[in-house]
Amino acid sequence: MAKNKYVGEFEFNASKKMLYPYFSTASGLAQWFADDVNINNEDKVYTFIWDGDETKAKLTSNRTNHHVRFDVVDDEDDDNNFFEFKIEMNELTQSVYVRITDYSDMDDEEASELWESLIHDLKEIVGG
């Protein structure tokens, strides 16, 4: 199946420091992103659970209060999926944006609907 790269930007009324744990910790991700999230601290592999299905992803890059990247662990796929959260601030307007990059099998419309729904849930939690 062909891979697509979705990039979405979402404005938040919250600080980078407040948002970062929602993208980088198992408990933060479990509040809005997946039904449950477990982490193996030894190899930094996160297990995301949606409707009883598990997806494993390795934390491959992070910088506190700036970005987090997960590469999906899939032995059957040479061109692995990934998703990345970047928290950026517009210095001129002092607005905080989250840029999401999702490289997966979903088409743009499907990815857009999914991320808009997830971000809506996150905004309700952080009040942003």
Side-chain angles (χ1 to χ4, degrees):
M1 187 175 224
K3 302 278 184 171
N4 291 309
K5 185 176 183 179
Y6 165 81
V7 178
E9 247 185 38
F10 303 91
E11 184 175 6
F12 279 82
N13 293 321
S15 70
K16 292 166 72 170
K17 190 174 185 178
M18 180 184 172
L19 288 172
Y20 182 75
Y22 288 100
F23 302 117
S24 61
T25 66
S27 60
L29 287 159
Q31 289 186 52
W32 69 279
F33 184 65
D35 297 335
D36 195 14
V37 180
N38 300 309
I39 181 172
N40 179 335
N41 286 320
E42 192 173 303
D43 57 7
K44 294 186 180 177
V45 172
Y46 288 59
T47 303
F48 298 93
I49 301 166
W50 292 280
D51 298 326
D53 292 333
E54 290 187 359
T55 299
K56 293 190 182 297
K58 185 171 180 79
L59 177 64
T60 55
S61 176
N62 76 346
R63 183 170 164 217
T64 304
N65 299 329
H66 287 357
H67 77 269
V68 179
R69 177 181 164 136
F70 294 96
D71 287 352
V72 176
V73 178
D74 187 350
D75 296 333
E76 299 170 13
D77 191 351
D78 293 335
D79 190 15
N80 284 340
N81 299 349
F82 72 86
F83 51 95
E84 181 176 52
F85 307 107
K86 287 189 176 181
I87 308 168
E88 301 172 344
M89 178 178 273
N90 181 319
E91 297 299 329
L92 192 60
T93 64
Q94 297 299 303
S95 298
V96 173
Y97 291 88
V98 174
R99 177 180 295 144
I100 295 171
T101 304
D102 182 355
Y103 183 70
S104 68
D105 300 332
M106 288 186 291
D107 63 39
D108 282 344
E109 186 176 328
E110 188 180 7
S112 178
E113 288 176 12
L114 172 67
W115 285 110
E116 285 180 22
S117 172
L118 289 170
I119 291 298
H120 177 267
D121 293 347
L122 179 57
K123 284 185 175 186
E124 286 193 354
I125 293 167
V126 299

